[in-house]
């Protein structure tokens, strides 16, 4: 069966009520992501479960309409994602789309949602353009971005004297943007970028790229990729004994599912920034408990961001008294973001939701006391510092 057709109807859910059709008499949320590929673990079916939890918490209706959750697989292809979003908006009466673990897909859908005046929330896409030059009145970047996850780590390491960097970068919008933001931070702190290698999405073999990185003699090898690519790159770097040879590996965009896949013996010591950790506080643990019952795994920051985005959208619909995209977008910018993902969130004019971020380090096996007990929280990065200043935004809505 054609994957586009099957994914359009792959999973239609009403919280607690079983299968149902989307329609104009419902408020329908579409979770559009990678359900079966390189980003399936960090988002995928888990993001659908997170959206369900948000609906369960909010209640089954808003403005007198039942709330429904639809999901589809964009296959990491911009044309598939944009076609599916257009069909959802035009035929299936979807009101809001969320997730997008692929920046190329996200940028394509941003234009469809803009034209249709529909809400799009990007929990996983990290390119800065979504709230920069390609920003939209109805587009929102929720969980993290390439600035939040690259700038802080790069600056901190350079200041410690770990000041020469080499990048292994996935060759599309996300990776290129991540490399660019990290490079700016390295140079601003007085460091130097000595080279970069570009790899295809979902490549199985990193050996040639790792050999180039080793031979560069850079103090840091930064993996500007995510999901399965990060997992495979770290595993193969371990086989090459890169860390034992004196070089530091940095993985700016890392998810708890990556650490789980790698195991603490391999992942120990990895340092990165995250927007969510399940064991951070009572609120984060409350969401994690509900998620674990559905998925038998702890949520990633991307999945927690989907929960938060859906919940905030529904609150905005209630406050606006309508599902009109422009009116709801205005309310989303007005309302504070307070939920199990964040208690410090606010939405800026450019669509960036800013909130506290956390610098974490993966524990040694001996430090972990229970399943999924993986992170040591080293520092809280306040919302005002975690994201690129609004004054530096390229978003036309700001200027």
């Amino acid at each position: 069966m054609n994957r586009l057709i099957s994914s359009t109807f792959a999973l239609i859910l009403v919280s607690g009520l079983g299968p149902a059709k989307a329609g104009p008499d419902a408020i329908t949320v579409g979770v559009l992501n990678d359900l079966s590929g390189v980003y399936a673990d960090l988002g995928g079916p888990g993001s659908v479960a997170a959206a369900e939890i948000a609906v369960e918490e909010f209640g089954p209706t808003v403005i007198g309409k039942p709330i429904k959750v639809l999901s589809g697989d964009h296959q990491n292809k911009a044309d598939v994602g944009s076609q599916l979003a257009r069909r959802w908006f035009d035929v299936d009466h979807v009101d809001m789309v969320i997730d997008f673990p692929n920046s190329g897909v996200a940028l394509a859908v941003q234009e469809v949602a803009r034209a249709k005046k529909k809400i799009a929330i990007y929990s996983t896409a990290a390119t800065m353009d979504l709230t920069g030059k390609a920003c939209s009145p109805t587009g929102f970047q929720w969980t993290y971005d390439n600035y939040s996850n690259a700038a802080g780590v790069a600056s901190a390491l350079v200041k410690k004297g770990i000041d020469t960097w080499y990048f292994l970068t996935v060759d599309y919008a996300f990776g290129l943007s991540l490399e660019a933001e990290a490079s700016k931070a390295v140079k601003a702190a007085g460091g130097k970028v000595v080279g970069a290698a570009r790899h295809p999405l979902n490549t199985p073999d990193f050996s040639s790229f790792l050999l180039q990185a080793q031979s560069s003699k850079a103090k840091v090898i930064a993996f500007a990729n995510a999901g399965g690519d990060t997992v495979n790159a770290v595993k193969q770097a371990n086989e090459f004994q890169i860390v034992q040879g004196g070089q530091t590996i940095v993985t700016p965009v890392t998810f708890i599912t990556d650490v789980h896949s790698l195991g603490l013996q391999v992942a120990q010591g990895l340092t990165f920034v995250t927007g969510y950790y399940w064991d951070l506080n009572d609120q984060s643990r409350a969401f994690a408990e509900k998620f674990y019952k559905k998925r038998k795994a702890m949520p990633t920051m991307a999945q927690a961001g989907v929960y938060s985005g859906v919940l905030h959208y529904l609150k905005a619909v209630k406050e606006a008294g309508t599902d009109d995209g422009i009116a709801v977008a205005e309310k989303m910018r007005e309302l504070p973001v307070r939920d199990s993902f964040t208690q410090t969130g606010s939405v800026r004019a450019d669509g960036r939701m800013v909130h506290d971020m956390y610098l974490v380090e993966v524990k040694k096996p001996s430090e972990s006391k229970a399943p999924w007990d993986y992170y040591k929280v080293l520092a809280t990065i306040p919302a005002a510092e975690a994201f690129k200043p609004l004054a530096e935004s390229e978003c036309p809505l700001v200027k």
Side-chain angles (χ1 to χ4, degrees):
M1 182 183 289
N2 180 278
R3 286 186 70 189
L4 176 58
I5 295 173
S6 63
S7 65
T8 304
F9 302 98
L11 201 52
I12 306 176
L13 302 159
V14 186
S15 179
L17 299 178
K21 277 193 173 183
D25 296 326
I27 299 298
T28 306
V29 171
V31 181
L32 186 53
N33 66 16
D34 178 356
L35 288 167
S36 56
V38 66
Y39 299 138
D41 285 347
L42 63 90
S47 288
V48 182
E52 290 183 81
I53 293 170
V55 174
E56 290 163 5
E57 284 191 15
F58 183 85
T61 65
V62 64
I63 60 171
K65 298 181 180 183
I67 303 165
K68 303 178 181 179
V69 179
L70 186 80
S71 76
D73 191 341
H74 60 47
Q75 303 171 39
N76 290 302
K77 298 176 182 177
D79 58 340
V80 172
S82 59
Q83 289 168 23
L84 187 48
R86 186 174 288 107
R87 176 184 173 84
W88 277 1
F89 293 145
D90 291 345
V91 178
D92 296 319
H93 306 286
V94 169
D95 298 281
M96 182 268 274
V97 288
I98 192 166
D99 204 8
F100 307 97
N102 184 301
S103 290
V105 175
L107 288 167
V109 173
Q110 178 96 306
E111 297 313 307
V112 177
R114 184 203 308 273
K116 304 293 182 181
K117 295 183 172 59
K118 298 286 189 176
I119 301 292
I121 302 175
Y122 307 101
S123 181
T124 318
T127 178
M128 302 296 294
D129 287 347
L130 287 166
T131 49
K133 61 186 180 183
C135 71
S136 165
T138 57
F140 300 89
Q141 198 164 18
W142 212 253
T143 308
Y144 70 102
D145 58 34
N146 283 335
Y147 181 96
S148 70
N149 280 52
V153 170
S155 178
L157 290 178
V158 171
K159 288 175 182 176
K160 289 183 178 181
I162 309 173
D163 55 3
T164 55
W165 287 55
Y166 188 98
F167 288 90
L168 260 63
T169 303
V170 61
D171 194 11
Y172 77 100
F174 155 65
L176 302 179
S177 173
L178 181 57
E179 180 187 323
E181 292 300 325
S183 296
K184 289 177 191 175
V186 168
K187 294 172 184 176
K192 183 179 180 181
V193 176
V194 300
R198 306 278 163 75
H199 70 80
L201 179 66
N202 203 22
T203 185
D205 185 3
F206 284 87
S207 58
S208 63
F209 307 114
L210 290 168
L211 285 170
Q212 292 176 55
Q214 269 188 313
S215 64
S216 74
K217 306 300 183 184
K219 295 177 183 177
V220 173
I221 301 174
F223 295 160
N225 51 26
D229 282 335
T230 299
V231 170
N232 287 334
V234 171
K235 285 180 177 178
Q236 291 175 40
N238 186 60
E239 293 170 2
F240 276 78
Q241 296 191 317
I242 285 177
V243 173
Q244 293 89 331
Q247 291 173 296
T248 297
I249 291 175
V250 171
T251 55
V253 178
T254 304
F255 299 86
I256 198 166
T257 45
D258 301 332
V259 175
H260 188 71
S261 178
L262 288 165
L264 293 182
Q265 190 63 45
V266 174
Q268 62 181 307
L270 289 179
T271 302
F272 49 90
V273 172
T274 185
Y276 170 88
Y277 178 46
W278 71 269
D279 201 21
L280 188 67
N281 52 43
D282 288 344
Q283 291 92 349
S284 63
R285 285 187 286 271
F287 169 68
E289 182 179 355
K290 295 174 183 177
F291 186 92
Y292 191 86
K293 287 180 180 177
K294 287 180 176 287
R295 298 292 303 163
K296 302 301 182 231
M298 288 302 178
T300 66
M301 67 167 169
Q303 292 158 345
V306 168
Y307 153 83
S308 175
V310 171
L311 195 56
H312 191 73
Y313 167 76
L314 294 174
K315 291 175 182 177
V317 171
K318 181 180 179 180
E319 287 293 317
T322 176
D323 57 2
D324 175 76
I326 298 298
V328 173
E330 290 177 0
K331 286 297 179 183
M332 288 180 68
R333 286 177 168 84
E334 292 175 11
L335 295 173
V337 184
R338 303 288 184 269
D339 52 45
S340 293
F341 172 73
T342 181
Q343 292 290 304
T344 64
S346 60
V347 183
R348 302 192 313 199
D350 60 355
R352 172 71 261 174
M353 197 275 277
V354 298
H355 52 89
D356 292 350
M357 299 287 285
Y358 307 95
L359 181 67
V360 301
E361 180 182 297
V362 177
K363 292 181 175 182
K364 299 175 183 177
S366 60
E367 295 172 323
S368 179
K369 305 305 180 186
W372 298 92
D373 176 26
Y374 292 160
Y375 295 174
K376 290 186 288 187
V377 178
L378 304 179
T380 298
I381 306 171
E385 300 174 14
F387 296 91
K388 190 172 185 177
L390 188 60
E392 298 177 17
S393 175
E394 297 180 80
C395 173
L397 298 174
V398 176
K399 299 185 183 304

